[in-house]
Amino acid sequence: NIDLQKKKKPMWKPTATKEIFSYKEIFGFILIVVVLSIAIFPKGKIEKLIFQEDTNIDLSNIYLENLIRITDDDNLRLLLAERYINLGYKEKALTILKILEWSNNTDIRSKAKILSYRILKVEYFSKNTSNERQQELIKQMRKILLDSLNSTTNLNTLKDIYNESLSMAFVDIAYKTAMKAVSIKNDDLFWLKQAYAQALATQHYQDAQKLSYRLSKIDKNNSLKWLNEYYNISVAIKDYTSASKALKEMAIIDSQH
């Protein structure tokens, strides 16, 4: 009898020569992918794709870090700093934000300051932060918002500054921000309303008067409301000529309905 067990040949098994790639090999692979991506994708597209990536954040961050090494792009640095903040990597974010303080792009510098502000805000609301430290942080946060306000004309950045000012009850900064936005785009209904509200809140009544009249022309559906506001403020500041003007215009609108 033939011993089948002896005749049966063992099944071939592949031999793994290396189970894990080295960091150097991974880095080299990512570097190749980055170079190819720059050649294939138009500027701005890569940043958008990276920002949307959330399946493997650590890997996409490595990709972004290498992309920055090749392109030396401050927009990408800003994106990476924001991702680090969202992940809680405070020190990594601060390292990048310090570099961006010297960016030639004033808007990037302003946005970087807003991100620095966000880091301070997290510390401010931490339960471990002392009252003394909170007072220091408030001063730093106010300064950052004011510096950012003075260095930008970007309406989206101004909106960030405005919202942060309101969240921390910095009403004077909120007023200045809204007024700057109106000076940039004087027919923007949102900013006109915000500027009007903050002008009243900070007792800048002459500004509130001008804004209410401007709103009566822009917000057509609520012209009577704004003319009434214009009238009340004019009376309050004893500008009776403007008050009379408001009454005449309200009468004209009322007669047309």
Side-chain angles (χ1 to χ4, degrees):
N1 293 333
I2 301 173
D3 190 342
L4 294 176
Q5 294 297 324
K6 291 182 180 180
K7 292 291 183 179
K8 188 176 181 181
K9 293 183 179 179
M11 184 180 291
W12 176 83
K13 294 181 180 180
T15 302
T17 55
K18 189 179 294 183
E19 294 181 356
I20 301 173
F21 289 106
S22 68
Y23 285 113
K24 186 175 180 181
E25 288 171 321
I26 294 173
F27 175 80
F29 174 75
I30 292 175
L31 198 61
I32 293 170
V33 173
V34 168
V35 173
L36 290 174
S37 298
I38 294 171
I40 295 171
F41 291 103
K43 184 174 175 57
K45 182 68 174 178
I46 296 175
E47 298 94 302
K48 185 177 180 180
L49 291 172
I50 292 173
F51 194 74
Q52 293 173 342
E53 167 59 42
D54 59 2
T55 56
N56 193 328
I57 294 177
D58 288 331
L59 183 60
S60 60
N61 279 352
I62 293 172
Y63 180 92
L64 187 52
E65 289 163 359
N66 283 284
L67 188 60
I68 290 168
R69 289 190 182 97
I70 296 172
T71 62
D72 192 29
D73 189 329
D74 283 344
N75 284 294
L76 294 178
R77 286 192 177 93
L78 193 69
L79 173 60
L80 184 59
E82 185 172 2
R83 288 170 67 89
Y84 281 155
I85 291 171
N86 292 337
L87 291 168
Y89 301 155
K90 175 183 172 182
E91 297 305 322
K92 284 186 174 184
L94 286 173
T95 299
I96 295 175
L97 293 173
K98 285 179 181 178
I99 294 172
L100 292 177
E101 287 178 8
W102 301 96
S103 174
N104 293 326
N105 187 315
T106 56
D107 192 49
I108 284 179
R109 290 204 304 270
S110 183
K111 288 177 179 177
K113 288 174 183 175
I114 295 296
L115 292 181
S116 298
Y117 165 92
R118 282 176 54 189
I119 293 173
L120 296 180
K121 188 176 180 180
V122 170
E123 183 182 354
Y124 177 85
F125 285 106
S126 171
K127 64 180 181 180
N128 298 321
T129 305
S130 66
N131 291 333
E132 293 78 10
R133 177 57 180 162
Q134 282 187 326
Q135 294 307 309
E136 293 175 10
L137 289 168
I138 281 288
K139 292 178 182 177
Q140 292 177 40
M141 290 160 71
R142 281 184 57 84
K143 185 178 185 305
I144 287 174
L145 289 180
L146 282 170
D147 288 347
S148 185
L149 171 61
N150 292 331
S151 64
T152 188
T153 56
N154 183 288
L155 288 175
N156 289 328
T157 305
L158 288 174
K159 195 168 186 178
D160 288 339
I161 297 169
Y162 182 73
N163 288 334
E164 289 298 340
S165 299
L166 291 180
S167 74
M168 295 301 297
F170 298 154
V171 290
D172 57 324
I173 301 177
Y175 160 73
K176 290 176 182 177
T177 305
M179 290 298 292
K180 183 169 184 176
V182 167
S183 72
I184 295 169
K185 194 173 182 181
N186 65 8
D187 61 347
D188 189 300
L189 191 56
F190 169 81
W191 282 117
L192 284 168
K193 288 181 177 179
Q194 299 308 312
Y196 173 75
Q198 298 310 318
L200 283 181
T202 54
Q203 300 181 355
H204 289 85
Y205 296 124
Q206 288 187 334
D207 283 336
Q209 181 195 35
K210 293 174 183 176
L211 288 162
S212 61
Y213 188 73
R214 179 66 180 158
L215 278 161
S216 74
K217 304 302 178 185
I218 299 296
D219 191 7
K220 299 283 187 183
N221 294 330
N222 296 294
S223 290
L224 279 174
K225 170 194 168 182
W226 294 116
L227 283 170
N228 189 57
E229 294 289 310
Y230 178 61
Y231 169 80
N232 290 333
I233 296 171
S234 298
V235 170
I237 63 176
K238 297 181 170 57
D239 181 0
Y240 299 116
T241 301
S242 295
S244 176
K245 175 183 175 182
L247 289 173
K248 289 177 182 177
E249 293 198 21
M250 281 192 286
I252 293 169
I253 293 173
D254 195 48
S255 68
Q256 292 172 348
H257 290 81

